[in-house]
Amino acid sequence: MSERTFIDPEKFAFSFADSTAKPTEDKGDVVPAAKKYLLHYLTAYYLVEDFNAEEAKNFTSSTEEHFKDMSFGELLDRVQKLNKY
């Protein structure tokens, strides 16, 4: 595997948060909607940061099997072990 996967955390987080945002017409809903948007943004941002760190570690490791070379089942097991959420 010669190239590692890198996801831009800011771009991903904005896209994710935008995809979950709902328009609010009631002015009383603005603060809860903003909090929900921020929660989605930060969750996605830090999830991608964690992914990029793990991918970088996997990419530079010569002893571990690379994601590309794993079977679907092996990859699923690996993701479940890495999943903190």
Side-chain angles (χ1 to χ4, degrees):
M1 185 168 155
S2 61
E3 295 181 32
R4 72 178 263 257
T5 301
F6 178 80
I7 301 170
D8 181 332
E10 185 174 346
K11 186 177 179 181
F12 180 84
F14 273 127
S15 295
F16 180 77
D18 284 343
S19 74
T20 62
K22 296 176 186 164
T24 61
E25 295 184 20
D26 183 8
K27 291 183 182 179
D29 290 341
V30 172
V31 172
K35 287 180 180 180
K36 191 172 186 179
Y37 184 92
L38 182 59
L39 173 68
H40 290 163
Y41 175 86
L42 292 174
T43 301
Y45 186 92
Y46 290 115
L47 179 65
V48 170
E49 285 283 303
D50 289 348
F51 171 82
N52 284 338
E54 287 298 321
E55 177 65 3
K57 187 169 64 175
N58 187 52
F59 182 73
T60 58
S61 173
S62 59
T63 59
E64 286 193 45
E65 187 175 13
H66 295 285
F67 294 138
K68 177 183 172 189
D69 301 326
M70 293 180 185
S71 70
F72 181 75
E74 292 170 328
L75 183 59
L76 188 59
D77 288 340
R78 181 79 175 271
V79 169
Q80 286 176 339
K81 289 177 186 173
L82 296 174
N83 188 5
K84 300 178 204 173
Y85 308 101

